[in-house]
Amino acid sequence: MYLSPTAKISLLFLAIAVAALFFADIAITTANPWRDLGQFFLGVATPDFFSTEGLATALLRTVAFAFVGVALGAASGFLLSLVYRFYPVRMFCAFIRAIHELFWALIFLQFFGFHPLTGVLAIAIPYSGIFAKVYSEILEESDPGPGRLLPPGTGVVSAFLYARIPDCWVQMRTYTAYRLECGLRSSAILGFVGLPTLGFYLETSFSQGLYSEAGAMLIMFYVLIATIPLWVKPKLLPVYVLSAPFFLGEGMPIVWGNVERFFTEDIIPAPIRNGEGLADLSAWFNDLMLNEALPGIWNTLLLTQIALVATGILALLAFPLISNHFGGPVRRTSGHVFLVIARSTPEYILAYILLQLWGPSMLPAAVALALHNGGIIGHLIGRQTNTVLLRPDAPTGFNRYSWELVPRVYRSFLAFLFYRWEIIMRETAILGILGIYTLGFYVDSAIQQIRFDRAMVLILITALLNIGIDILGRYIRRKLALQTMPTC
């Protein structure tokens, strides 16, 4: 039987995920998970908006960190996009965006401490690499026609500003607005490493079993995300960006001696720092690779592949919830609410919640990754099906789903899925901070033990692994001739 290339690659990834299940730590270890889950949903249904002091301040700082970080990232990314065609620039951008915001925060905490600069740079640096890539693609795809109509002798800068930017402006503005939503999610999870954003208060409430307080925080965060079109207006953006730095808080003063020591001593491998020879350096590196890096890479890959396929299955099941070809307005409205909640909640927060309810294993992480990324792809595919025109005698129900719509959107679905592959890998690595044995677990352990040299090597390995997955994903999309758009 003939199988198309898209069917073959789908079956291959499904087989890899099924095989990975036999090696993964998939379990529920809490004594009464359903009772705990019920208490959590009861807390969400009965939110307490007035019990947590400083919640309004936390929300304000979450927004402030997002605006400052995204603004700096967009400005830096735009400048980098102008020279993105040069190979060293592309590699630099790929490296900085391959390291998760929480990893950057953990690095900056070691010498800046709990200063606002830690959170701002943790968002701005990886976002610079992301913006540079996306902006450069938008500029490359712009229509060259207007440039040919300019009078002879027009300068390069003038031609760029008056011919290319107007043609790209709508796309760049749309993507920047979408990245702001991503920035709000990134800002929220910075609280899990101690910065004064929403995640800090959410972690405190969960650790104390105060589910009504936690529910109130989640609801306020969803409202914040859902109402972005209402309060983020183009005319107000300069006001937001200029005023946001004043709402970041002060934090502890920076000790510049710590900065110097971090780069000149702390991250230097211990054998070199202690004046030992190459043999000791080789033994140090071999120990790091065998006992930390390789187990972390193995578990990261296992969880990534399971989460990737679970994301795809959930997306295929979810897109009919908002498709005009299924159900009525009540069902579609309920579907929109579900997908908004799924895609608006950061994977880290979802995984943290599920870990508290189900206990430490890969299961909470896999479910969290699938819910968030499946919600994003399901939403995009559902909107795409709304543009599909069916013939009057088209079948209904499951036959409409399986024979009419899925074949028409499947290539776009795969394109989005393979784009999310590298993003899922980044999130999988960082979820190790929660106690899952991915690379993030070993990075966090090394930092807790004040072994920054080992932590930096592990972060470098994480970045290289993400770059490798990104290259492989782009290769598959190119071989299958899949077209996609950048998503958060």
Side-chain angles (χ1 to χ4, degrees):
M1 182 177 67
Y2 172 76
L3 290 177
S4 66
T6 55
K8 289 179 180 178
I9 199 71
S10 300
L11 291 175
L12 174 62
F13 272 76
L14 178 61
I16 292 173
V18 171
L21 286 172
F22 290 96
F23 299 95
D25 174 25
I26 302 293
I28 295 177
T29 58
T30 52
N32 199 335
W34 299 113
R35 182 196 62 192
D36 296 336
L37 193 62
Q39 290 178 347
F40 166 69
F41 282 117
L42 179 61
V44 174
T46 58
D48 188 349
F49 294 99
F50 305 102
S51 59
T52 303
E53 295 182 4
L55 180 56
T57 302
L59 281 172
L60 185 61
R61 287 182 175 171
T62 299
V63 173
F65 274 110
F67 267 103
V68 177
V70 172
L72 288 176
S76 303
F78 178 74
L79 295 176
L80 288 169
S81 71
L82 303 180
V83 290
Y84 195 77
R85 63 185 181 276
F86 297 112
Y87 183 78
V89 177
R90 293 201 306 273
M91 288 298 97
F92 171 74
C93 292
F95 177 76
I96 61 175
R97 71 172 179 265
I99 300 176
H100 194 278
E101 299 92 279
L102 277 185
F103 279 147
W104 283 113
L106 288 173
I107 292 172
F108 292 125
L109 276 173
Q110 308 316 312
F111 49 86
F112 287 154
F114 293 103
H115 191 276
L117 195 58
T118 295
V120 168
L121 293 179
I123 296 174
I125 290 178
Y127 278 40
S128 297
I130 296 170
F131 275 120
K133 177 185 177 182
V134 175
Y135 284 168
S136 69
E137 292 173 352
I138 293 174
L139 290 170
E140 287 176 3
E141 295 171 0
S142 63
D143 183 7
R148 301 191 187 102
L149 301 178
L150 295 174
T154 302
V156 175
V157 175
S158 297
F160 180 79
L161 293 177
Y162 290 101
R164 295 187 67 188
I165 289 297
D167 185 60
C168 304
W169 180 248
V170 174
Q171 286 180 284
M172 296 176 74
R173 184 183 63 188
T174 301
Y175 181 75
T176 304
Y178 184 74
R179 184 53 58 179
L180 176 62
E181 178 182 332
C182 302
L184 287 170
R185 295 199 292 266
S186 298
S187 178
I189 66 173
L190 290 179
F192 285 88
V193 296
L195 292 171
T197 63
L198 190 66
F200 177 82
Y201 294 90
L202 188 65
E203 183 180 27
T204 302
S205 296
F206 259 100
S207 62
Q208 297 176 3
L210 303 175
Y211 295 132
S212 291
E213 291 185 8
M217 295 176 203
L218 288 174
I219 290 172
M220 293 182 71
F221 185 68
Y222 297 145
V223 171
L224 183 70
I225 296 291
T227 58
I228 284 179
L230 300 179
W231 58 272
V232 179
K233 301 292 186 181
K235 293 181 179 180
L236 294 176
L237 280 177
V239 177
Y240 290 149
V241 172
L242 292 176
S243 60
F246 298 99
F247 295 95
L248 294 174
E250 297 181 359
M252 301 296 292
I254 296 175
V255 180
W256 293 104
N258 294 339
V259 180
E260 179 183 359
R261 187 182 69 248
F262 181 82
F263 287 104
T264 59
E265 297 181 24
D266 292 345
I267 63 174
I268 305 299
I272 297 177
R273 190 168 63 242
N274 298 331
E276 299 169 358
L278 290 177
D280 295 298
L281 179 62
S282 177
W284 176 86
F285 184 75
N286 289 337
D287 175 71
L288 176 62
M289 290 298 298
L290 291 175
N291 295 318
E292 299 180 26
L294 290 179
I297 291 171
W298 172 251
N299 288 321
T300 300
L301 290 173
L302 284 180
L303 182 53
T304 297
Q305 295 311 113
I306 294 171
L308 180 71
V309 172
T311 294
I313 293 173
L314 182 62
L316 289 176
L317 294 175
F319 82 78
L321 296 176
I322 64 169
S323 175
N324 292 336
H325 300 290
F326 301 96
V330 174
R331 178 180 175 181
R332 288 196 295 272
T333 301
S334 301
H336 273 292
V337 171
F338 169 74
L339 292 182
V340 165
I341 292 175
R343 73 176 189 267
S344 298
T345 310
E347 300 99 315
Y348 193 91
I349 292 179
L350 279 172
Y352 177 81
I353 293 171
L354 295 175
L355 277 166
Q356 307 307 307
L357 302 175
W358 295 347
S361 79
M362 289 187 180
L363 179 61
V367 172
L369 290 164
L371 280 173
H372 176 76
N373 293 284
I376 290 175
I377 299 176
H379 170 74
L380 295 171
I381 297 301
R383 289 199 310 179
Q384 184 174 339
T385 62
N386 292 336
T387 65
V388 174
L389 297 177
L390 299 179
R391 64 184 190 275
D393 62 338
T396 60
F398 182 74
N399 286 334
R400 170 175 292 190
Y401 169 84
S402 58
W403 297 106
E404 291 288 339
L405 291 176
V406 170
R408 300 190 189 197
V409 299
Y410 196 75
R411 293 179 62 82
S412 297
F413 157 75
L414 281 184
F416 287 122
L417 189 63
F418 284 123
Y419 182 87
R420 299 295 302 182
W421 192 11
E422 181 264 342
I423 299 171
I424 291 173
M425 172 75 77
R426 290 174 69 240
E427 297 294 337
T428 298
I430 201 64
L431 290 179
I433 295 177
L434 296 175
I436 305 163
Y437 293 116
T438 61
L439 280 164
F441 173 83
Y442 298 99
V443 171
D444 188 53
S445 298
I447 290 175
Q448 295 297 326
Q449 298 169 12
I450 319 181
R451 303 168 79 177
F452 301 127
D453 51 346
R454 300 174 78 91
M456 293 302 294
V457 173
L458 292 170
I459 290 175
L460 177 62
I461 291 172
T462 303
L464 294 176
L465 191 64
N466 288 338
I467 291 172
I469 290 294
D470 183 41
I471 293 173
L472 180 57
R474 283 189 283 111
Y475 172 78
I476 294 174
R477 295 201 304 270
R478 187 169 60 251
K479 290 292 289 185
L480 297 178
L482 302 176
Q483 299 296 324
T484 186
M485 68 180 70
T487 55
C488 183

